Amino acid sequence: MHRRRAHIDIPTVYFLVAGILLMFMVFLESVLERLPFNAAMLYLPIGWLLGPSGSGLIRIDLQAHAEVLTVVTRVALLLSLFTVGLKLRVAFRGEGSKLWRLPLRLGVVSMLITVPLLALCISVLFGLPFAVAMLLSAILAPTDPVLASDVQIQNVDDPDQLRFSLSGEGGLNDGSAYPFVILALILLGVTDEIAQVDHFGLFVAWGVAAGIGCGALCGWAMSRTVLFARQRFGLALGMEEFMAIGIIMLSYGVAELVHGIGFLSVFAAGLAMRQVESANSGNKPAGELIAAAQGSGKTAAAVHPEQAPAYLTETVLGFNQQLEHFAEFFMVLLMGILLSESGLSGEGVLLAGLLFFVVRPIAVALGLAGSGIESSHRWLIAWFGIRGVGSLYYLCFALQFWHNKLNARVARDVLTVLALSIVAHGISSAPLMHIYWRKRMQSERRLRQEK
């Protein structure tokens, strides 16, 4: 008599694999801190090994699961966009306005240059129809807020010009790429499902204005309401984690409900919350206020007239950064699994070189022309145009509506570019930022001595 073999379902395998990998990262974290590359470079090959080209444990059909993957990647992107907004503690007026011009130039002007220039190059060099080239270009255009943590703002009280520019750009251009993706889909014949061709200009203008407006209003109103309840009545204490997720979901939902661009809304909500904190803190350093709050105790700090805004915002930021680590882990694993399914593309390698070494530097140079920024900073900004979750989101989003024999080719090219970006920028980010920081310290020391 044969014994019946126990059946283990696929979700159980996924839980086991995820649990093993997460525990593995707990013990590996201290080792990664000493290595000259970021964690994403480790996640990517693990994902590849889990996929069909490796162990075959996990198989994901990108086209068949495009709708689900769009939701998953959107959540990861929203978490990161809100986090970036919370990090930018610079006023829009006065001296701060000069610093804000840099990410605006990069997120708007450079984006307007990148998409058509890259699309033209793709169409001419690779023989793709211009509409397909436009879609591929729009998908690859945004820089990534999830994978660019190594080059983003580290200290909210020290708005370093280079880090601030890259952070602000990453927050803006995931939203500014949206109209180009929609335009490309319209050129490909997808119209009624996403936008009306005759009103595309109004669609874009309203989307940007409504997205920023809804996000700013939600971030400002929720922050003011919670602070008022705490300081006046001693209510709404704790549960900053709920507030973080609540503002993200509320700002995105309201913007999408009125046909605004939800990514811009969530970024604007993070900015608004930080602006409320900065204004109510009397522009004192957040680190100083948090240090005082730690001595006061959580409850006392949460209702303190001066410490409460900084305590609330920094607590929300800390929670979001923890979620961002999870998002990075699972999103890069997903990229590795999808790449294992599709395989590397020789065309994608050439496309990555074109984007990293030709189109991106040209777009940054033109976008920052006349800004007065140092040439060394301009070159670093040009190099750190990291591609990642934003591009993966737009790829999944587009595949929901566009069904064509070129789908597999476009997906393979995009995944190849993302993998090369993770490797190239992962290797170079730590040493280049170390050199940059050392030179900055030397320059500041020299200025102090001259005074």
Side-chain angles (χ1 to χ4, degrees):
M1 185 174 179
H2 297 285
R3 182 175 295 177
R4 189 176 179 182
R5 183 177 293 179
H7 173 71
I8 301 177
D9 62 351
I10 296 301
T12 302
V13 174
Y14 291 173
F15 275 113
L16 285 171
V17 171
I20 291 169
L21 289 175
L22 290 171
M23 290 308 301
F24 176 65
M25 291 309 302
V26 170
F27 293 100
L28 197 63
E29 178 63 25
S30 57
V31 177
L32 284 173
E33 291 177 354
R34 303 189 189 100
L35 296 177
F37 56 79
N38 60 26
M41 283 189 62
L42 180 64
Y43 306 154
L44 187 69
I46 291 175
W48 188 88
L49 289 172
L50 291 172
S53 297
S55 65
L57 277 173
I58 302 176
R59 292 178 178 271
I60 300 175
D61 186 326
L62 181 56
Q63 181 70 64
H65 298 95
E67 189 172 349
V68 174
L69 292 175
T70 299
V71 175
V72 172
T73 51
R74 181 191 294 144
V75 170
L77 202 52
L78 292 176
L79 287 171
S80 190
L81 288 170
F82 187 64
T83 302
V84 171
L86 287 172
K87 289 179 180 179
L88 302 181
R89 195 177 189 257
V90 175
F92 297 119
R93 300 175 182 175
E95 289 297 315
S97 64
K98 296 179 182 177
L99 196 56
W100 268 110
R101 291 171 193 166
L102 299 177
L104 285 171
R105 282 168 171 258
L106 292 168
V108 179
V109 180
S110 293
M111 174 65 74
L112 290 170
I113 296 167
T114 298
V115 176
L117 178 58
L118 184 58
L120 181 63
C121 292
I122 291 171
S123 182
V124 172
L125 296 177
F126 303 136
L128 285 170
F130 184 76
V132 178
M134 174 70 90
L135 179 63
L136 183 52
S137 174
I139 288 170
L140 290 172
T143 57
D144 196 70
V146 180
L147 303 180
S149 56
D150 286 348
V151 297
Q152 287 182 354
I153 291 287
Q154 303 293 316
N155 180 1
V156 297
D157 294 321
D158 181 21
D160 174 74
Q161 185 185 68
L162 175 66
R163 290 184 181 276
F164 188 89
S165 300
L166 291 167
S167 300
E169 181 190 17
L172 283 168
N173 64 17
D174 280 299
S176 60
Y178 180 73
F180 290 103
V181 174
I182 299 299
L183 177 60
L185 289 172
I186 289 173
L187 293 175
L188 288 166
V190 181
T191 55
D192 294 336
E193 294 175 274
I194 50 176
Q196 295 295 322
V197 182
D198 297 338
H199 303 97
F200 182 72
L202 181 62
F203 168 80
V204 173
W206 172 254
V208 171
I212 294 173
C214 289
L217 180 61
C218 288
W220 178 84
M222 292 301 99
S223 298
R224 294 292 302 172
T225 300
V226 170
L227 286 172
F228 178 78
R230 288 184 174 188
Q231 293 173 319
R232 182 64 65 90
F233 304 108
L235 300 175
L237 299 175
M239 293 298 187
E240 285 84 2
E241 300 86 354
F242 282 68
M243 182 179 180
I245 303 300
I247 291 180
I248 291 172
M249 296 177 73
L250 186 64
S251 58
Y252 182 81
V254 170
E256 289 291 317
L257 191 65
V258 298
H259 306 293
I261 298 177
F263 290 147
L264 289 177
S265 181
V266 172
F267 177 59
L271 284 176
M273 187 172 182
R274 176 56 76 180
Q275 293 297 313
V276 168
E277 178 275 312
S278 180
N280 282 271
S281 298
N283 293 318
K284 290 185 177 180
E288 178 184 313
L289 293 167
I290 288 299
Q294 289 172 344
S296 304
K298 291 182 179 180
T299 303
V303 299
H304 193 280
E306 193 175 66
Q307 297 169 5
Y311 174 80
L312 174 65
T313 307
E314 289 299 306
T315 305
V316 169
L317 175 59
F319 172 72
N320 261 67
Q321 286 178 314
Q322 292 298 317
L323 291 180
E324 198 174 30
H325 291 317
F326 280 101
E328 179 183 8
F329 175 72
F330 285 110
M331 288 302 99
V332 180
L333 275 182
L334 176 61
M335 289 181 203
I337 293 166
L338 293 173
L339 187 66
S340 184
E341 180 84 39
S342 68
L344 283 168
S345 160
E347 183 176 89
V349 174
L350 295 175
L351 180 55
L354 179 67
L355 177 59
F356 299 163
F357 300 109
V358 180
V359 174
R360 169 72 178 177
I362 290 173
V364 169
L366 294 176
L368 295 179
S371 64
I373 189 171
E374 295 178 27
S375 60
S376 60
H377 291 190
R378 191 181 295 116
W379 281 111
L380 282 173
I381 290 171
W383 173 243
F384 286 126
I386 301 171
R387 267 63 188 178
V389 180
S391 294
L392 183 60
Y393 165 78
Y394 280 120
L395 174 62
C396 298
F397 174 81
L399 292 181
Q400 292 180 93
F401 306 102
W402 182 54
H403 306 285
N404 188 278
K405 62 182 180 181
L406 291 172
N407 278 4
R409 181 177 172 182
V410 169
R412 190 162 54 249
D413 285 349
V414 170
L415 291 169
T416 300
V417 172
L418 299 188
L420 291 174
S421 179
I422 289 171
V423 172
H425 294 115
I427 291 173
S428 61
S429 60
L432 285 177
M433 290 307 295
H434 177 72
I435 293 170
Y436 164 75
W437 193 254
R438 187 175 61 195
K439 287 185 176 180
R440 180 189 163 182
M441 292 297 100
Q442 290 173 350
S443 177
E444 290 181 356
R445 197 179 304 118
R446 197 181 307 116
L447 286 173
R448 285 196 297 268
Q449 289 173 352
E450 289 175 358
K451 289 180 180 179

